Amino acid sequence: MPRHKEFDPENCLNQVMHLFWEKGYQDTSIADLVQRSGVQRYGLYETFGDKQELFQRALDWYLSTVISQYLARLESEDSEPSLTEIEIFFEQFIDYLDHPSSSLGCLICNTAVEGAVHDPIVISRVQQYLERLRRAFARALKSAQHNGELAEGTDIVQITEFLTGSVLGISTYARSPASREDVKRYVRGILAMLKQL
């Protein structure tokens, strides 16, 4: 008879996700994971696998919770997003920069630049996130073009890549020693560009 788990796997995964977010994959030890989650090593291994598998699960959890919340309006099936939804998406960063955790940046973006991570599954999660951003932005931009908010000749692909890169830029800038006000100015610059389209 399998042993009953004495902890909530989702709560554990949430704790682990935040630890990886704070310290990165390389600087997070199994001892750190045990201490943060309050779950013994064998419990973590039995439920999630080794550190690499746990990191993969933490990335999935981040994508399905944090990222889904930020992209909710752009990915909504109940309405057709447009330029307004893109602006609201970036305005969220201005609000978030007042939160102490904003200095952590983005777990997926941090992972993308953490050179020691070469696992194909982890790389696929980063690519999945970038593609998700591209789809969301392109969908809204095409809708805006269809509605006459953008000129017919507007290069949707170029703007999509600019916006996708801007998300990585905001996350990296937020993780730097730059002041929160400087990062906010950067975000406002992106918003100003959107208004000029």
Side-chain angles (χ1 to χ4, degrees):
M1 183 174 181
R3 181 168 46 198
H4 176 67
K5 288 185 177 61
E6 298 177 353
F7 65 92
D8 177 357
E10 286 194 354
N11 181 60
C12 175
L13 201 52
N14 197 53
Q15 294 296 323
V16 164
M17 176 195 77
H18 278 90
L19 182 60
F20 281 127
W21 196 355
E22 292 165 19
K23 299 187 70 172
Y25 177 78
Q26 294 298 332
D27 291 338
T28 300
S29 67
I30 293 295
D32 293 332
L33 293 165
V34 168
Q35 182 178 19
R36 174 62 67 91
S37 67
V39 178
Q40 294 304 312
R41 184 184 301 246
Y42 71 83
L44 290 174
Y45 284 151
E46 183 182 59
T47 306
F48 304 109
D50 63 14
K51 177 185 168 184
Q52 186 69 26
E53 292 172 300
L54 184 51
F55 184 56
Q56 293 165 6
R57 294 282 295 276
L59 291 177
D60 288 339
W61 184 253
Y62 184 83
L63 285 166
S64 67
T65 55
V66 177
I67 297 302
S68 290
Q69 179 181 342
Y70 270 84
L71 286 172
R73 292 179 70 110
L74 283 169
E75 293 182 328
S76 174
E77 295 299 327
D78 298 329
S79 60
E80 196 67 34
S82 192
L83 284 180
T84 299
E85 282 68 34
I86 296 178
E87 290 172 3
I88 291 170
F89 171 81
F90 282 101
E91 284 166 355
Q92 292 176 108
F93 288 102
I94 294 176
D95 294 335
Y96 178 59
L97 284 162
D98 289 326
H99 195 278
S101 67
S102 68
S103 62
L104 297 178
C106 162
L107 176 58
I108 304 294
C109 296
N110 298 347
T111 300
V113 297
E114 188 176 2
V117 178
H118 298 297
D119 175 37
I121 296 177
V122 171
I123 292 170
S124 76
R125 296 305 187 271
V126 173
Q127 292 171 332
Q128 176 187 335
Y129 173 54
L130 295 177
E131 190 53 39
R132 192 171 168 185
L133 286 173
R134 288 186 186 104
R135 278 197 311 269
F137 290 140
R139 177 185 176 215
L141 290 167
K142 287 173 184 174
S143 176
Q145 194 172 52
H146 178 76
N147 295 337
E149 297 175 69
L150 292 178
E152 278 299 318
T154 302
D155 190 336
I156 299 294
V157 174
Q158 184 180 65
I159 298 172
T160 295
E161 287 306 318
F162 170 77
L163 295 175
T164 301
S166 294
V167 175
L168 273 71
I170 293 168
S171 301
T172 304
Y173 202 11
R175 196 169 170 82
S176 79
S179 72
R180 301 301 86 183
E181 194 51 47
D182 284 344
V183 185
K184 286 181 182 180
R185 287 190 188 96
Y186 177 63
V187 179
R188 290 188 187 107
I190 297 166
L191 288 165
M193 184 282 299
L194 284 168
K195 293 188 182 300
Q196 293 173 11
L197 289 176

